[in-house]
Short mmCIF file of all heavy atoms in Angstrom, two decimals:
data_model
loop_
_atom_site.label_atom_id
_atom_site.label_comp_id
_atom_site.label_asym_id
_atom_site.label_seq_id
_atom_site.Cartn_x
_atom_site.Cartn_y
_atom_site.Cartn_z
N MET A 929 106.69 61.00 220.41
CA MET A 929 106.74 60.93 218.94
C MET A 929 106.43 62.31 218.37
O MET A 929 105.55 63.01 218.86
CB MET A 929 105.73 59.91 218.46
CG MET A 929 106.00 59.33 217.06
SD MET A 929 107.56 58.44 216.90
CE MET A 929 107.39 57.15 218.15
N SER A 930 107.17 62.70 217.35
CA SER A 930 106.96 63.98 216.67
C SER A 930 106.52 63.70 215.23
O SER A 930 106.69 62.59 214.70
CB SER A 930 108.24 64.81 216.64
OG SER A 930 108.65 65.13 217.93
N GLU A 931 105.94 64.73 214.62
CA GLU A 931 105.50 64.63 213.20
C GLU A 931 106.03 65.83 212.45
O GLU A 931 105.99 66.95 212.95
CB GLU A 931 103.98 64.57 213.12
CG GLU A 931 103.48 64.49 211.70
CD GLU A 931 101.93 64.42 211.62
OE1 GLU A 931 101.40 63.36 211.97
OE2 GLU A 931 101.33 65.41 211.22
N VAL A 932 106.50 65.58 211.22
CA VAL A 932 106.93 66.66 210.36
C VAL A 932 106.52 66.34 208.93
O VAL A 932 106.47 65.18 208.55
CB VAL A 932 108.46 66.90 210.46
CG1 VAL A 932 109.25 65.73 209.87
CG2 VAL A 932 108.88 68.20 209.79
N THR A 933 106.21 67.38 208.16
CA THR A 933 105.96 67.22 206.72
C THR A 933 107.15 67.85 205.98
O THR A 933 107.43 69.04 206.21
CB THR A 933 104.64 67.85 206.30
OG1 THR A 933 103.59 67.16 207.01
CG2 THR A 933 104.42 67.68 204.79
N ILE A 934 107.81 67.05 205.17
CA ILE A 934 108.94 67.56 204.40
C ILE A 934 108.58 67.56 202.90
O ILE A 934 107.72 66.78 202.49
CB ILE A 934 110.24 66.74 204.62
CG1 ILE A 934 110.03 65.30 204.19
CG2 ILE A 934 110.65 66.82 206.09
CD1 ILE A 934 111.32 64.46 204.24
N LYS A 935 109.19 68.45 202.15
CA LYS A 935 108.99 68.44 200.71
C LYS A 935 109.82 67.32 200.08
O LYS A 935 110.96 67.10 200.49
CB LYS A 935 109.46 69.78 200.11
CG LYS A 935 108.66 70.97 200.57
CD LYS A 935 109.26 72.28 199.99
CE LYS A 935 108.60 73.49 200.63
NZ LYS A 935 109.28 74.75 200.21
N VAL A 936 109.22 66.64 199.11
CA VAL A 936 109.94 65.59 198.36
C VAL A 936 109.69 65.82 196.89
O VAL A 936 108.57 65.58 196.41
CB VAL A 936 109.53 64.18 198.76
CG1 VAL A 936 110.33 63.15 197.93
CG2 VAL A 936 109.72 63.92 200.24
N GLN A 937 110.67 66.33 196.18
CA GLN A 937 110.52 66.62 194.77
C GLN A 937 111.24 65.58 193.95
O GLN A 937 112.21 64.98 194.38
CB GLN A 937 111.09 68.03 194.47
CG GLN A 937 110.32 69.11 195.21
CD GLN A 937 110.95 70.46 195.08
OE1 GLN A 937 112.06 70.63 194.61
NE2 GLN A 937 110.23 71.49 195.57
N GLY A 938 110.76 65.37 192.72
CA GLY A 938 111.39 64.45 191.80
C GLY A 938 110.76 63.09 191.72
O GLY A 938 111.23 62.22 191.00
N MET A 939 109.65 62.88 192.46
CA MET A 939 108.94 61.63 192.35
C MET A 939 108.02 61.70 191.13
O MET A 939 107.30 62.66 190.93
CB MET A 939 108.06 61.38 193.59
CG MET A 939 108.84 61.22 194.85
SD MET A 939 107.75 60.73 196.25
CE MET A 939 106.77 62.22 196.48
N SER A 940 108.07 60.64 190.28
CA SER A 940 107.25 60.68 189.06
C SER A 940 106.27 59.54 188.96
O SER A 940 105.44 59.56 188.05
CB SER A 940 108.18 60.72 187.83
OG SER A 940 109.18 59.77 187.91
N CYS A 941 106.31 58.59 189.86
CA CYS A 941 105.31 57.51 189.77
C CYS A 941 105.13 56.85 191.12
O CYS A 941 105.83 57.17 192.09
CB CYS A 941 105.69 56.47 188.71
SG CYS A 941 106.97 55.32 189.21
N GLY A 942 104.18 55.90 191.17
CA GLY A 942 103.95 55.20 192.41
C GLY A 942 105.11 54.41 192.93
O GLY A 942 105.27 54.21 194.14
N GLY A 943 105.99 53.97 192.02
CA GLY A 943 107.21 53.28 192.44
C GLY A 943 108.10 54.19 193.25
O GLY A 943 108.68 53.77 194.25
N CYS A 944 108.20 55.46 192.82
CA CYS A 944 108.97 56.44 193.58
C CYS A 944 108.39 56.62 194.97
O CYS A 944 109.14 56.72 195.96
CB CYS A 944 108.95 57.81 192.87
SG CYS A 944 109.76 57.82 191.24
N VAL A 945 107.08 56.67 195.07
CA VAL A 945 106.43 56.83 196.37
C VAL A 945 106.81 55.65 197.29
O VAL A 945 107.15 55.84 198.44
CB VAL A 945 104.90 56.89 196.19
CG1 VAL A 945 104.20 56.84 197.56
CG2 VAL A 945 104.51 58.16 195.43
N GLY A 946 106.79 54.44 196.69
CA GLY A 946 107.21 53.26 197.49
C GLY A 946 108.67 53.35 197.90
O GLY A 946 109.01 52.99 199.01
N ASN A 947 109.52 53.81 196.99
CA ASN A 947 110.96 53.94 197.30
C ASN A 947 111.18 54.91 198.44
O ASN A 947 111.97 54.63 199.36
CB ASN A 947 111.73 54.36 196.08
CG ASN A 947 111.76 53.29 194.99
OD1 ASN A 947 111.57 52.11 195.23
ND2 ASN A 947 112.00 53.73 193.74
N VAL A 948 110.52 56.05 198.37
CA VAL A 948 110.70 57.05 199.44
C VAL A 948 110.12 56.56 200.75
O VAL A 948 110.71 56.73 201.81
CB VAL A 948 110.07 58.41 199.00
CG1 VAL A 948 110.07 59.42 200.16
CG2 VAL A 948 110.81 58.99 197.80
N THR A 949 108.97 55.91 200.66
CA THR A 949 108.34 55.38 201.88
C THR A 949 109.26 54.36 202.54
O THR A 949 109.50 54.41 203.77
CB THR A 949 107.00 54.70 201.53
OG1 THR A 949 106.14 55.64 200.89
CG2 THR A 949 106.31 54.14 202.77
N ARG A 950 109.84 53.48 201.72
CA ARG A 950 110.73 52.47 202.30
C ARG A 950 112.00 53.09 202.85
O ARG A 950 112.49 52.67 203.91
CB ARG A 950 111.07 51.42 201.20
CG ARG A 950 111.42 50.09 201.74
CD ARG A 950 111.39 48.93 200.71
NE ARG A 950 110.78 49.28 199.44
CZ ARG A 950 111.43 49.73 198.37
NH1 ARG A 950 112.72 49.95 198.45
NH2 ARG A 950 110.78 49.99 197.24
N THR A 951 112.52 54.05 202.15
CA THR A 951 113.72 54.75 202.60
C THR A 951 113.50 55.36 204.00
O THR A 951 114.29 55.19 204.90
CB THR A 951 114.09 55.88 201.62
OG1 THR A 951 114.52 55.28 200.39
CG2 THR A 951 115.21 56.76 202.15
N LEU A 952 112.38 56.05 204.15
CA LEU A 952 112.10 56.73 205.40
C LEU A 952 111.79 55.76 206.51
O LEU A 952 112.32 55.88 207.62
CB LEU A 952 110.92 57.70 205.22
CG LEU A 952 111.26 58.96 204.37
CD1 LEU A 952 110.00 59.69 203.99
CD2 LEU A 952 112.25 59.88 205.13
N THR A 953 110.97 54.76 206.25
CA THR A 953 110.56 53.84 207.33
C THR A 953 111.71 52.89 207.75
O THR A 953 111.63 52.29 208.80
CB THR A 953 109.31 53.03 206.93
OG1 THR A 953 109.54 52.33 205.71
CG2 THR A 953 108.09 53.90 206.81
N SER A 954 112.74 52.78 206.89
CA SER A 954 113.88 51.94 207.28
C SER A 954 114.81 52.66 208.25
O SER A 954 115.71 52.01 208.81
CB SER A 954 114.66 51.52 206.02
OG SER A 954 115.39 52.58 205.49
N LEU A 955 114.64 53.94 208.46
CA LEU A 955 115.52 54.68 209.34
C LEU A 955 115.18 54.44 210.80
O LEU A 955 113.99 54.39 211.15
CB LEU A 955 115.38 56.18 209.06
CG LEU A 955 115.76 56.65 207.63
CD1 LEU A 955 115.32 58.10 207.44
CD2 LEU A 955 117.25 56.48 207.39
N ALA A 956 116.21 54.27 211.62
CA ALA A 956 115.97 54.12 213.06
C ALA A 956 115.27 55.36 213.62
O ALA A 956 115.72 56.47 213.37
CB ALA A 956 117.27 53.87 213.79
N GLY A 957 114.18 55.15 214.31
CA GLY A 957 113.43 56.26 214.94
C GLY A 957 112.23 56.67 214.14
O GLY A 957 111.41 57.45 214.64
N VAL A 958 112.07 56.16 212.92
CA VAL A 958 110.88 56.48 212.12
C VAL A 958 109.88 55.36 212.30
O VAL A 958 110.15 54.18 212.04
CB VAL A 958 111.22 56.66 210.61
CG1 VAL A 958 109.94 56.79 209.77
CG2 VAL A 958 112.13 57.88 210.42
N SER A 959 108.64 55.75 212.68
CA SER A 959 107.59 54.75 212.87
C SER A 959 106.59 54.73 211.72
O SER A 959 105.93 53.72 211.48
CB SER A 959 106.86 54.98 214.20
OG SER A 959 106.37 56.28 214.27
N LYS A 960 106.47 55.85 211.00
CA LYS A 960 105.47 55.92 209.94
C LYS A 960 105.83 57.01 208.95
O LYS A 960 106.31 58.07 209.33
CB LYS A 960 104.08 56.18 210.54
CG LYS A 960 102.94 56.12 209.53
CD LYS A 960 101.60 56.45 210.19
CE LYS A 960 100.48 56.47 209.17
NZ LYS A 960 99.22 57.01 209.77
N ALA A 961 105.57 56.74 207.67
CA ALA A 961 105.78 57.76 206.62
C ALA A 961 104.64 57.70 205.63
O ALA A 961 104.37 56.65 205.06
CB ALA A 961 107.10 57.58 205.95
N GLU A 962 103.93 58.82 205.43
CA GLU A 962 102.89 58.95 204.44
C GLU A 962 103.43 59.81 203.32
O GLU A 962 103.62 61.02 203.48
CB GLU A 962 101.67 59.69 205.05
CG GLU A 962 100.69 58.89 205.85
CD GLU A 962 99.95 57.77 205.14
OE1 GLU A 962 99.67 57.88 203.93
OE2 GLU A 962 99.68 56.76 205.80
N VAL A 963 103.68 59.24 202.15
CA VAL A 963 104.28 59.95 201.05
C VAL A 963 103.21 60.25 200.00
O VAL A 963 102.45 59.36 199.61
CB VAL A 963 105.44 59.15 200.45
CG1 VAL A 963 106.08 59.90 199.30
CG2 VAL A 963 106.49 58.83 201.53
N SER A 964 103.18 61.50 199.53
CA SER A 964 102.20 61.92 198.52
C SER A 964 102.89 62.38 197.26
O SER A 964 103.69 63.32 197.27
CB SER A 964 101.32 63.03 199.07
OG SER A 964 100.52 63.60 198.03
N LEU A 965 102.60 61.69 196.17
CA LEU A 965 103.10 62.12 194.84
C LEU A 965 102.52 63.46 194.45
O LEU A 965 103.24 64.35 194.02
CB LEU A 965 102.70 61.03 193.84
CG LEU A 965 103.09 61.19 192.37
CD1 LEU A 965 104.60 61.24 192.19
CD2 LEU A 965 102.53 60.05 191.54
N GLU A 966 101.19 63.61 194.63
CA GLU A 966 100.49 64.83 194.20
C GLU A 966 100.98 66.07 195.00
O GLU A 966 101.14 67.15 194.41
CB GLU A 966 98.99 64.66 194.40
CG GLU A 966 98.35 63.60 193.48
CD GLU A 966 98.58 62.18 193.98
OE1 GLU A 966 99.07 61.98 195.11
OE2 GLU A 966 98.27 61.26 193.21
N GLN A 967 101.18 65.87 196.29
CA GLN A 967 101.60 67.01 197.14
C GLN A 967 103.11 67.19 197.14
O GLN A 967 103.60 68.18 197.69
CB GLN A 967 101.15 66.79 198.59
CG GLN A 967 99.71 66.33 198.77
CD GLN A 967 98.75 67.47 198.94
OE1 GLN A 967 99.13 68.54 199.43
NE2 GLN A 967 97.51 67.30 198.55
N ALA A 968 103.84 66.25 196.58
CA ALA A 968 105.30 66.26 196.61
C ALA A 968 105.79 66.46 198.04
O ALA A 968 106.55 67.38 198.35
CB ALA A 968 105.86 67.34 195.70
N SER A 969 105.30 65.59 198.93
CA SER A 969 105.67 65.73 200.33
C SER A 969 105.63 64.36 201.03
O SER A 969 105.12 63.36 200.49
CB SER A 969 104.67 66.65 201.05
OG SER A 969 103.41 66.05 201.18
N ALA A 970 106.22 64.35 202.23
CA ALA A 970 106.16 63.17 203.08
C ALA A 970 105.87 63.64 204.50
O ALA A 970 106.54 64.54 205.01
CB ALA A 970 107.46 62.41 203.06
N THR A 971 104.88 63.01 205.11
CA THR A 971 104.57 63.31 206.52
C THR A 971 105.09 62.11 207.34
O THR A 971 104.69 60.97 207.07
CB THR A 971 103.08 63.54 206.76
OG1 THR A 971 102.69 64.67 205.93
CG2 THR A 971 102.75 63.80 208.19
N VAL A 972 105.98 62.42 208.28
CA VAL A 972 106.73 61.39 208.98
C VAL A 972 106.52 61.46 210.48
O VAL A 972 106.61 62.55 211.05
CB VAL A 972 108.25 61.54 208.65
CG1 VAL A 972 109.05 60.43 209.31
CG2 VAL A 972 108.48 61.58 207.17
N GLN A 973 106.23 60.32 211.06
CA GLN A 973 106.20 60.22 212.54
C GLN A 973 107.56 59.68 213.00
O GLN A 973 108.02 58.64 212.49
CB GLN A 973 105.11 59.23 212.98
CG GLN A 973 103.83 59.90 213.43
CD GLN A 973 102.92 60.23 212.26
OE1 GLN A 973 102.72 59.39 211.42
NE2 GLN A 973 102.38 61.45 212.24
N TYR A 974 108.19 60.40 213.90
CA TYR A 974 109.55 59.98 214.29
C TYR A 974 109.78 60.30 215.77
O TYR A 974 109.12 61.14 216.38
CB TYR A 974 110.56 60.71 213.42
CG TYR A 974 110.64 62.20 213.64
CD1 TYR A 974 111.59 62.77 214.48
CD2 TYR A 974 109.71 63.04 213.01
CE1 TYR A 974 111.63 64.14 214.66
CE2 TYR A 974 109.73 64.41 213.22
CZ TYR A 974 110.70 64.96 214.02
OH TYR A 974 110.73 66.30 214.22
N ASP A 975 110.78 59.59 216.31
CA ASP A 975 111.23 59.79 217.68
C ASP A 975 112.34 60.86 217.65
O ASP A 975 113.44 60.62 217.16
CB ASP A 975 111.76 58.48 218.26
CG ASP A 975 112.31 58.63 219.66
OD1 ASP A 975 112.39 59.77 220.18
OD2 ASP A 975 112.68 57.57 220.24
N PRO A 976 112.09 62.03 218.21
CA PRO A 976 113.09 63.12 218.16
C PRO A 976 114.36 62.81 218.91
O PRO A 976 115.38 63.52 218.72
CB PRO A 976 112.34 64.32 218.74
CG PRO A 976 111.29 63.74 219.59
CD PRO A 976 110.89 62.45 218.92
N GLU A 977 114.37 61.77 219.72
CA GLU A 977 115.62 61.40 220.43
C GLU A 977 116.51 60.55 219.53
O GLU A 977 117.68 60.32 219.83
CB GLU A 977 115.28 60.63 221.73
CG GLU A 977 114.57 61.58 222.73
CD GLU A 977 114.50 60.98 224.12
OE1 GLU A 977 114.87 59.78 224.30
OE2 GLU A 977 114.05 61.69 225.05
N GLN A 978 115.96 60.04 218.41
CA GLN A 978 116.73 59.18 217.53
C GLN A 978 117.06 59.81 216.16
O GLN A 978 118.04 59.44 215.53
CB GLN A 978 115.99 57.86 217.24
CG GLN A 978 115.82 56.99 218.48
CD GLN A 978 115.27 55.64 218.11
OE1 GLN A 978 115.88 54.86 217.44
NE2 GLN A 978 114.02 55.40 218.51
N ILE A 979 116.21 60.75 215.71
CA ILE A 979 116.41 61.29 214.36
C ILE A 979 115.74 62.66 214.31
O ILE A 979 114.89 62.97 215.15
CB ILE A 979 115.86 60.31 213.30
CG1 ILE A 979 116.41 60.63 211.92
CG2 ILE A 979 114.32 60.24 213.33
CD1 ILE A 979 116.30 59.49 210.90
N ASP A 980 116.16 63.47 213.35
CA ASP A 980 115.58 64.79 213.19
C ASP A 980 115.23 65.07 211.71
O ASP A 980 115.64 64.31 210.83
CB ASP A 980 116.50 65.88 213.79
CG ASP A 980 117.84 65.92 213.10
OD1 ASP A 980 117.99 65.36 211.97
OD2 ASP A 980 118.74 66.56 213.64
N PRO A 981 114.47 66.13 211.45
CA PRO A 981 114.05 66.42 210.08
C PRO A 981 115.20 66.56 209.10
O PRO A 981 115.09 66.18 207.92
CB PRO A 981 113.26 67.72 210.21
CG PRO A 981 112.67 67.63 211.59
CD PRO A 981 113.77 67.00 212.43
N ALA A 982 116.34 67.11 209.52
CA ALA A 982 117.49 67.25 208.62
C ALA A 982 117.97 65.88 208.15
O ALA A 982 118.34 65.71 206.99
CB ALA A 982 118.64 68.01 209.30
N ALA A 983 117.98 64.91 209.04
CA ALA A 983 118.42 63.54 208.69
C ALA A 983 117.40 62.87 207.78
O ALA A 983 117.75 62.11 206.90
CB ALA A 983 118.68 62.74 209.95
N LEU A 984 116.12 63.16 208.01
CA LEU A 984 115.09 62.63 207.12
C LEU A 984 115.29 63.15 205.73
O LEU A 984 115.25 62.40 204.75
CB LEU A 984 113.69 63.03 207.63
CG LEU A 984 113.26 62.54 209.02
CD1 LEU A 984 111.94 63.21 209.41
CD2 LEU A 984 113.20 61.04 209.05
N ARG A 985 115.53 64.47 205.60
CA ARG A 985 115.74 65.08 204.31
C ARG A 985 116.99 64.54 203.63
O ARG A 985 117.02 64.29 202.42
CB ARG A 985 115.83 66.63 204.46
CG ARG A 985 114.46 67.25 204.86
CD ARG A 985 114.54 68.75 205.11
NE ARG A 985 115.33 69.41 204.09
CZ ARG A 985 116.47 70.05 204.32
NH1 ARG A 985 116.93 70.19 205.53
NH2 ARG A 985 117.12 70.56 203.33
N GLN A 986 118.05 64.33 204.43
CA GLN A 986 119.27 63.81 203.85
C GLN A 986 119.07 62.41 203.26
O GLN A 986 119.59 62.06 202.22
CB GLN A 986 120.39 63.77 204.93
CG GLN A 986 121.73 63.34 204.39
CD GLN A 986 122.28 64.31 203.33
OE1 GLN A 986 122.42 65.51 203.60
NE2 GLN A 986 122.57 63.80 202.14
N ALA A 987 118.31 61.56 203.98
CA ALA A 987 118.02 60.21 203.50
C ALA A 987 117.26 60.25 202.18
O ALA A 987 117.51 59.44 201.28
CB ALA A 987 117.24 59.44 204.57
N VAL A 988 116.32 61.18 202.07
CA VAL A 988 115.56 61.32 200.83
C VAL A 988 116.48 61.74 199.68
O VAL A 988 116.40 61.23 198.57
CB VAL A 988 114.41 62.32 201.01
CG1 VAL A 988 113.75 62.68 199.67
CG2 VAL A 988 113.35 61.73 201.96
N GLU A 989 117.37 62.65 199.97
CA GLU A 989 118.36 63.10 198.96
C GLU A 989 119.27 61.95 198.57
O GLU A 989 119.55 61.77 197.37
CB GLU A 989 119.22 64.26 199.54
CG GLU A 989 118.45 65.50 199.87
CD GLU A 989 118.40 66.50 198.69
OE1 GLU A 989 119.10 66.26 197.69
OE2 GLU A 989 117.67 67.49 198.79
N ASP A 990 119.72 61.17 199.55
CA ASP A 990 120.60 60.03 199.25
C ASP A 990 119.89 59.00 198.38
O ASP A 990 120.56 58.24 197.65
CB ASP A 990 121.08 59.37 200.56
CG ASP A 990 122.06 60.25 201.33
OD1 ASP A 990 122.54 61.24 200.75
OD2 ASP A 990 122.32 59.95 202.51
N ALA A 991 118.57 58.95 198.45
CA ALA A 991 117.80 57.98 197.65
C ALA A 991 117.56 58.52 196.24
O ALA A 991 116.94 57.84 195.41
CB ALA A 991 116.47 57.71 198.33
N GLY A 992 118.03 59.74 195.97
CA GLY A 992 117.96 60.27 194.61
C GLY A 992 116.84 61.28 194.33
O GLY A 992 116.61 61.61 193.18
N PHE A 993 116.23 61.75 195.40
CA PHE A 993 115.17 62.76 195.25
C PHE A 993 115.65 64.08 195.87
O PHE A 993 116.71 64.15 196.47
CB PHE A 993 113.87 62.28 195.93
CG PHE A 993 113.38 60.96 195.34
CD1 PHE A 993 113.82 59.75 195.86
CD2 PHE A 993 112.58 60.94 194.21
CE1 PHE A 993 113.41 58.54 195.32
CE2 PHE A 993 112.16 59.75 193.66
CZ PHE A 993 112.57 58.55 194.18
N ARG A 994 114.84 65.12 195.65
CA ARG A 994 115.19 66.43 196.24
C ARG A 994 114.30 66.64 197.46
O ARG A 994 113.10 66.37 197.41
CB ARG A 994 114.89 67.56 195.27
CG ARG A 994 115.66 67.51 193.93
CD ARG A 994 117.06 68.01 194.07
NE ARG A 994 117.93 67.02 194.71
CZ ARG A 994 118.37 65.88 194.12
NH1 ARG A 994 118.02 65.61 192.88
NH2 ARG A 994 119.13 65.04 194.76
N ALA A 995 114.90 67.12 198.54
CA ALA A 995 114.16 67.43 199.76
C ALA A 995 114.54 68.80 200.25
O ALA A 995 115.21 68.94 201.25
CB ALA A 995 114.42 66.35 200.82
N PRO A 996 114.09 69.86 199.53
CA PRO A 996 114.45 71.20 199.93
C PRO A 996 113.74 71.61 201.24
O PRO A 996 112.70 71.01 201.57
CB PRO A 996 113.94 72.06 198.77
CG PRO A 996 112.81 71.28 198.18
CD PRO A 996 113.18 69.84 198.35
N GLN A 997 114.30 72.59 201.88
CA GLN A 997 113.71 73.04 203.14
C GLN A 997 112.45 73.87 202.89
O GLN A 997 112.34 74.47 201.82
CB GLN A 997 114.70 73.90 203.92
CG GLN A 997 114.48 73.79 205.40
CD GLN A 997 115.80 73.69 206.16
OE1 GLN A 997 116.84 74.18 205.67
NE2 GLN A 997 115.81 73.04 207.30
MO1 LIG B 1733 108.86 55.17 188.69
MO2 LIG B 1733 110.67 56.34 190.50
O1 LIG B 1733 108.82 54.38 186.88
O2 LIG B 1733 112.16 56.01 191.78
S1 LIG B 1733 109.93 54.26 190.44
S2 LIG B 1733 110.21 56.80 188.25
#
């Protein structure tokens, strides 16, 4: 299992945190996601054989948020 912290911009309330958390944890290979509104970030535990940080960022973007590198 690997861990990465990605930037997540554009979250404005706890509902957004829930949306991003659900988006990330629904991905195959993701076991845990800790999303912080204050830090504008998400720390994700994932299986590097199934998914990578670029795909995590793309999923966040597809959910309507910004995930710059
Ligand atoms: Mo809050 Mo976010 O009212 O996707 S849920 S703005």
Side-chain angles (χ1 to χ4, degrees):
M929 203 61 58
S930 297
E931 179 179 289
V932 68
T933 298
I934 62 173
K935 296 176 189 173
V936 180
Q937 297 172 351
M939 295 187 293
S940 48
C941 77
C944 296
V945 172
N947 292 338
V948 172
T949 302
R950 205 164 349 91
T951 293
L952 288 168
T953 55
S954 72
L955 299 169
V958 172
S959 55
K960 185 182 177 189
E962 278 297 327
V963 181
S964 169
L965 179 61
E966 294 78 10
Q967 313 269 333
S969 71
T971 299
V972 183
Q973 261 84 47
Y974 65 98
D975 177 354
E977 295 192 353
Q978 294 188 67
I979 197 161
D980 61 14
L984 299 173
R985 291 176 43 242
Q986 185 62 56
V988 169
E989 296 269 352
D990 290 347
F993 301 89
R994 301 279 78 73
Q997 210 138 27

